Amino acid sequence: MTKRKICVVITARPSYSRIKTALTAIKKHPSLELQLVIAGSALLNRYGNAVDYIEQDGFKIDAKVFMVLEGENKTSMAKTTGLGVMELATVFYNLQPDAVVTIADRFETIATSIAAAYQNIPLIHIQGGEVTGNIDEKVRHANTKLADIHLVASSEARTRLLKMGEDEDYVFNTGCPSIDIANQVKKSPKLNFNPIEKYGGVGKNIDWKNGYMVVMQHPVTTEYDDARVHVTTTLKVVHELGIPTFWFWPNVDAGADGTSNGIRSYRENYQPENIHFFKNMLPEDFLRLLMNSKCLIGNSSVGIRECAFLGVPVVNIGTRQHGRARSENVVDVSYTSEAIKNAIVNRLEIADKIKESTIYGNGNSGEKIADILADVKLRFHKTITY
């Protein structure tokens, strides 16, 4: 029997955790053949070199696409995406997949969608139908309209796609594959490694064993000019609180230079005794680190998704996750020092009262996705349903 060739494109560090269990399930499925393309910042050392972790996990990479232009500003984002279209079009021509999978909403994911759709290759979009701020909001819905088959992470997202005129027979609520990893971590929650010994990083060798916080704050592309001010405000608050903290480097978005420069400058000028900085971790290690933390601070979607499932308190800063469905673990604040500090104190006080949520799935999304990809009728043409 000829196996159906499913080509998955991973363009950034967070995308790997969003799809990892589905990759495993596709690889194991008797009716499917996994083709894996790694592109964008997932190939770059300064953004955590996600490709190394992907290869360590035993996945064969069929193509690598270097497409990130220097600058980390609005113009370089547009040019990176354009280069991605050109390079990925050639990759798909060479691989001849039966279907292509694009993941979520990062700015460069639209390159995958265009390169596939324009070549009449059935396009499958993971995690459409959600609402956020940032350029992600536009890109996600553009991916939806280019995609032929939709694998969403919540019932609310499915309803939204139907309102956008998508065919209900091609919109499947699978939950989020990253929740599968969170579910595995929940079954074995003990922090079984020393983060600094295993991953190095930079900064002081903090005393984290009696409790710590985690920070992951990315630039907001629609607030590009304020990226450095935003991260510096958070740095000052976390430094002043004095609680041991693991801080993760930002994604490659417009404003990432501002965020990165703000972190470097603050670190060099103030040498905070309570903060240690990392570029990346294995998804399982990162979620285990989160599960054992006092609180997550910043604007990452991991606070909305995985932390809800794990019951981890979250202080969500600013507009990057605007409109995304969230659970009671999240409190939203503005960029002011007072608001951030008060929210952190509040989350720490009520941490034991926060309940876990299955709003984004219950831990079996990867296998659901593989089964759907094996059985669904592939198509590369559609019309709006109203």
Side-chain angles (χ1 to χ4, degrees):
M1 182 182 71
T2 302
K3 292 185 176 183
R4 183 175 280 184
K5 295 184 289 185
I6 305 297
C7 180
V8 180
V9 182
I10 296 175
T11 61
R13 175 185 66 189
S15 300
Y16 180 46
S17 63
R18 292 277 177 269
I19 198 68
K20 179 180 175 180
T21 63
L23 296 180
T24 301
I26 293 168
K27 184 179 176 182
K28 291 180 178 178
H29 200 287
S31 300
L32 300 176
E33 176 186 336
L34 175 64
Q35 296 177 322
L36 189 56
V37 176
I38 310 301
S41 62
L43 293 168
L44 302 181
N45 180 62
R46 68 181 182 274
Y47 295 106
N49 227 6
V51 65
D52 289 347
Y53 298 116
I54 295 168
E55 289 177 324
Q56 287 172 23
D57 284 336
F59 292 109
K60 172 182 170 288
I61 296 172
D62 294 273
K64 295 180 181 179
V65 177
F66 293 91
M67 56 189 258
V68 176
L69 269 67
E70 290 287 348
E72 294 166 321
N73 55 45
K74 292 172 284 187
T75 303
S76 66
M77 277 175 47
K79 290 185 176 182
T80 291
T81 303
L83 183 58
V85 173
M86 294 176 62
E87 294 294 320
L88 287 167
T90 301
V91 168
F92 298 156
Y93 176 81
N94 291 332
L95 292 179
Q96 292 292 303
D98 293 305
V100 166
V101 175
T102 192
I103 304 164
D105 53 18
R106 283 193 49 77
F107 75 88
E108 74 280 356
T109 60
I110 193 71
T112 303
S113 298
I114 293 171
Y118 281 30
Q119 295 185 82
N120 288 345
I121 303 170
L123 178 66
I124 298 153
H125 184 210
I126 303 277
Q127 295 172 14
E130 299 178 25
V131 178
T132 58
N134 216 19
I135 188 64
D136 302 354
E137 170 75 6
K138 293 181 178 180
V139 170
R140 183 187 305 104
H141 302 319
N143 282 336
T144 288
K145 298 317 294 182
L146 286 165
D148 305 291
I149 299 161
H150 310 276
L151 307 175
V152 301
S154 69
S155 57
E156 181 182 277
R158 185 176 189 273
T159 298
R160 193 170 286 116
L161 289 197
L162 299 183
K163 289 182 178 179
M164 291 172 67
E166 297 302 307
D167 186 338
E168 64 178 357
D169 291 336
Y170 288 89
V171 183
F172 303 91
N173 179 9
T174 63
C176 178
S178 64
I179 300 300
D180 300 2
I181 303 175
N183 191 40
Q184 294 166 11
V185 167
K186 189 185 288 187
K187 294 174 182 177
S188 179
K190 184 178 179 181
L191 190 62
N192 55 3
F193 66 100
N194 182 316
I196 297 174
E197 288 181 1
K198 185 169 183 178
Y199 290 99
V202 295
K204 300 296 182 179
N205 190 3
I206 61 176
D207 182 10
W208 54 270
K209 293 185 178 179
N210 292 317
Y212 59 87
M213 303 189 299
V214 177
V215 179
M216 182 174 277
Q217 185 163 344
H218 305 297
V220 179
T221 58
T222 51
E223 299 163 5
Y224 163 79
D225 294 327
D226 299 320
R228 181 164 181 161
V229 173
H230 288 166
V231 78
T232 301
T233 301
T234 307
L235 278 160
K236 287 180 179 178
V237 171
V238 171
H239 187 193
E240 290 171 2
L241 284 171
I243 299 170
T245 300
F246 294 118
W247 194 299
F248 286 82
W249 226 245
N251 288 337
V252 54
D253 290 313
D257 267 352
T259 302
S260 299
N261 289 339
I263 291 172
R264 289 191 187 97
S265 177
Y266 195 92
R267 192 180 68 215
E268 292 169 5
N269 290 328
Y270 298 98
Q271 298 182 17
E273 298 280 344
N274 64 313
I275 307 176
H276 195 88
F277 300 88
F278 294 106
K279 288 183 179 179
N280 198 9
M281 284 185 181
L282 286 166
E284 294 86 351
D285 285 350
F286 178 60
L287 291 184
R288 194 164 276 113
L289 188 78
L290 278 178
M291 187 169 185
N292 287 276
S293 71
K294 292 176 176 287
C295 182
L296 173 68
I297 302 152
N299 58 11
S300 170
S301 62
V302 73
I304 308 295
R305 293 175 182 275
E306 292 94 324
C307 286
F309 185 81
L310 296 172
V312 176
V314 173
V315 175
N316 183 63
I317 303 170
T319 60
R320 195 170 192 271
Q321 301 300 333
H322 172 72
R324 180 166 264 158
R326 64 250 285 134
S327 185
E328 65 177 33
N329 69 308
V330 177
V331 61
D332 296 289
V333 298
S334 66
Y335 295 107
T336 66
S337 298
E338 183 179 6
I340 295 169
K341 183 177 181 179
N342 289 341
I344 293 172
V345 172
N346 170 264
R347 293 290 93 177
L348 296 180
E349 288 176 349
I350 68 167
D352 293 339
K353 300 178 182 177
I354 290 177
K355 298 178 182 178
E356 300 167 358
S357 168
T358 57
I359 185 173
Y360 287 104
N362 55 17
N364 61 347
S365 298
E367 291 183 359
K368 283 184 180 179
I369 287 172
D371 288 340
I372 290 168
L373 295 181
D375 295 335
V376 69
K377 182 179 179 180
L378 296 179
R379 62 176 188 168
F380 55 81
H381 175 74
K382 68 177 186 180
T383 56
I384 199 166
T385 59
Y386 59 84

